[in-house]
Amino acid sequence: MKNILPLFLLACFPFLPPAFSQAGLLDSSFSDDGKVITPFPVAGSDKIFSLAVQPDQKILAAGNARGTLNMDFGLARYLPDGSLDTDFGTGGRVTTDFGSGADVGKSVVVQNDGKILVAGYAVVNNVSQFALARFLENGELDSSFGVNGRQTTVIGAGYSEGWSVALQADGKIVVAGTIYSSPSSGQFALVRYDAQGLPDMSFGVNGQVIMPVGSLDARAQAVVIQPNGKIIAGGYALNGSYYDFALVQYHPDGSVDSLFGTNGYQLSDFSGFDDQAQALVLQEDGKIVAGGWSKSGSGLQSFGLARYLANGQRDSTFGANGITKLNFQPFAIHDAIQALAVQADGKIIACGYSYVPVYEVYNFALARFLPNGQLDLDFNGTGKVATAFQVGNDQAYAVAIQADGRIVAGGGSASGDFALARYLPGSVVSTPPTPFSVRSVFLYPNPVMQAVKVAYTLQQAQTVSIALYDQNGKMVIRLIQQLQQTAGRHTEDLRLPEGLSAGLYFLELATPSGRITLKMVK
C-alpha cells in the first residue's frame, strides 16, 4: 500500500506557513536567492519608491526609470516568485512620460476595480508639480482618467512635489506633498481628486489645501486616511533651529482638525537635533506610527520611530515616551527609515537603509519592532537585517507585506536598477484577501526513493510552481516553474536530483493565490 501524505486542513487554513520559516531570512523561493534586480531598457539611476501587493499576490513596484530624454514614472509588476509578469506592459515594465522634464513616481495604490494609481511629481514647462497616472490591469494608461491617463496639478504659485497617495472609501484620491516658495522654504500641501482624476472642488480651495507647519520650512512625505475619513499627513518641520517629526490631521473637507495635537498638528523632537519623518502607517487600534531618522549631537543618524494616539499625543506605552531609536552599526552615520508596514500580529516592520562605514556603502536595512516599541529579537536573531545586492550602494525605500506574511522590500541597486528583496516572516500569516484555489493535495510515496508524485486539484486555471527545500529552508532545486494548468485534477511526476542525501525535505507548491508546504522524507 502506498504511503500518502494528505493535506486535509486546506479548507479551513488555506495558507500554511513553511515549517522551516525563520523570521528575517531571505526567502529563497523568491528568484532563488531572495533578491531581484530589474533593469529598464534605458540604463539610468532607477529606484523603487513604493510597493503594493495585488489581491492575486502579484507585486507592483513604482518609482523612477530612465526614459528617452529624462527620468519618467517607472512601474514594474512581478509574479509571486519574483519573475517579471510578461502580461504587464512590455516585458513586465512600463515607463510614463509627462513632458520634457524629469518625472518621479513616489507612491502606488491599487483601486478596488484593479486599476493602478501612481502619484509623484513631474516637471512640465520647467515647473515641478503634482502628477498622477492611472493604469489598467495590463499596464496600459487608463484613457478615462485625467488627460490620456495622466493628471498634473500646479499648487499655488510655486514649485511643488507630490509624495504620497491614499484612497478614500468613496474612491476619491488624496495626494500629499510640498509646495516651495524657495528651495529651503516649504509648506504641507494636499490635493484631492475625484475618481476621474479631476480636482475635487469640495476639498479646501479648488481641491487644494496648503498649510505652514512649524517655522519657515516643512515637508509632507506621507498620507494615511483614518476609518472616520479624517486625513493625516506626516513629514517634518523646522522648529527653530532643527527639524522635528510633524503630523497634521484634516477633516474630510480639508479643514485642519484643531483637536489633534496642538491646533491641528504635532511636532516631535527626539533629542534636540534634526529628526525627519518619512513614513506613516495606521495600526488596527487607530494609533499612528511615524518612521524616519533622528540625529544625535555627534551627527550620528539612527532609525527613528514615534507612535501617537488618535488625538495626536505621543503614546507613552511605546518605547520611551512614545519614541524609539535604532542604530544598525556601532557608529550609525546615516541610517534612515523610508517605509513602514504592520504585520497581522501588530509587529512593526521598518524598512530603509544603513550606511556601513567599513565598506563605505549603503545596504537595504529592515528592523522589526514589537507593539511596545522594543526590538523583536526573533527577527533574524537581532531584530534587524541588512542586505547587499552588489558592490556599492543599495538603498531601500519601500516595503509591503504579502497575504502569507512574507515581507517585500524595494529600492535601488548599485547598478542603478530596480531592486527587490523578500524575507521570511516566521510564523506570521495574515488572512488572505482571496480564497486559495488549490484543494486535495497529496504527495506519494513518502518516504521517497528517487521519484515522487504530487497530485492536486485547481479550482481555477492558473500557473503552478513546485520547489524542493532542505530542512533549513534553503532551496535545493526548482522542479516546476510557472506551469500553466487548467482547472481540475493534476498529477506531477517529479524526479529528485541525483545524489540527494537522505533526510527531511519540503516540497512547496505555489500558485498566484498562495502556497502549500508538504513535508517529505527521503
Side-chain angles (χ1 to χ4, degrees), residues 31 148 154 208 266 286 328 345 358 364 454 500:
S31 189
N148 297 322
V154 176
Q208 304 177 11
Q266 177 68 276
F328 262 74
D345 60 358
V358 66
F364 274 36
V454 177
L500 187 69

Side-chain angles (χ1 to χ4, degrees), residues 41-89:
V42 181
S45 183
D46 305 337
K47 295 180 178 68
I48 296 169
F49 289 116
S50 185
L51 293 170
V53 180
Q54 295 184 170
D56 61 4
Q57 299 310 291
K58 292 179 180 179
I59 302 162
L60 286 163
N64 61 258
R66 173 67 64 177
T68 304
L69 298 175
N70 294 289
M71 280 296 177
D72 293 336
F73 275 26
L75 185 62
R77 191 166 72 189
Y78 301 84
L79 300 173
D81 66 358
S83 59
L84 282 166
D85 179 6
T86 55
D87 291 332
F88 185 81

Side-chain angles (χ1 to χ4, degrees), residues 20 108 116 160 173 202 222 247 283 325 330 344 354 466 498 506 510:
F20 49 75
V108 61
I116 302 156
S160 58
I173 304 156
S202 67
L247 268 68
Q283 296 186 171
K325 296 172 66 173
S354 174
I466 298 178
E498 294 291 338
F506 298 90

Side-chain angles (χ1 to χ4, degrees), residues 463-477:
T463 58
V464 172
S465 299
I466 298 178
L468 178 69
Y469 295 84
D470 65 19
Q471 59 184 332
N472 296 315
K474 182 178 180 181
M475 182 183 288
V476 177
I477 188 172

Side-chain angles (χ1 to χ4, degrees), residues 4-232:
I4 298 177
L5 176 66
L7 296 182
F8 292 118
L9 297 180
L10 291 178
C12 297
F13 301 96
F15 284 82
L16 301 182
F20 49 75
S21 173
Q22 180 178 337
L25 291 182
L26 283 166
D27 179 6
S28 60
S29 70
F30 190 73
S31 189
D32 295 332
D33 62 355
K35 298 181 285 187
V36 175
I37 292 176
T38 303
F40 275 70
V42 181
S45 183
D46 305 337
K47 295 180 178 68
I48 296 169
F49 289 116
S50 185
L51 293 170
V53 180
Q54 295 184 170
D56 61 4
Q57 299 310 291
K58 292 179 180 179
I59 302 162
L60 286 163
N64 61 258
R66 173 67 64 177
T68 304
L69 298 175
N70 294 289
M71 280 296 177
D72 293 336
F73 275 26
L75 185 62
R77 191 166 72 189
Y78 301 84
L79 300 173
D81 66 358
S83 59
L84 282 166
D85 179 6
T86 55
D87 291 332
F88 185 81
T90 302
R93 293 158 295 189
V94 174
T95 56
T96 304
D97 182 26
F98 283 78
S100 59
D103 313 313
V104 179
K106 298 295 295 186
S107 185
V108 61
V109 292
V110 181
Q111 297 183 172
N112 290 335
D113 60 3
K115 293 180 180 180
I116 302 156
L117 275 169
V118 179
Y121 54 90
V123 176
V124 181
N125 297 324
N126 295 318
V127 177
S128 176
Q129 49 201 273
F130 278 33
L132 265 176
R134 190 164 75 187
F135 303 87
L136 304 175
E137 292 183 74
N138 63 2
E140 293 180 1
L141 282 165
D142 178 10
S143 60
S144 69
F145 184 84
V147 179
N148 297 322
R150 307 171 184 87
Q151 179 65 279
T152 58
T153 304
V154 176
I155 313 295
Y159 290 80
S160 58
E161 294 179 344
W163 212 263
S164 181
V165 64
L167 289 172
Q168 295 188 171
D170 60 2
K172 291 182 179 179
I173 304 156
V174 178
V175 179
T178 305
I179 178 174
Y180 301 91
S181 56
S182 73
S184 60
S185 182
Q187 301 179 65
F188 275 35
L190 296 181
V191 179
R192 189 164 72 192
Y193 302 87
D194 63 21
Q196 286 71 49
L198 301 176
D200 176 12
M201 297 302 174
S202 67
F203 184 78
V205 178
N206 296 325
Q208 304 177 11
V209 173
I210 299 171
M211 180 180 177
V213 182
S215 61
L216 297 178
D217 190 31
R219 317 287 172 93
Q221 306 288 97
V223 66
V224 292
I225 298 175
Q226 294 181 309
N228 62 8
K230 292 185 178 181
I231 301 163
I232 300 173

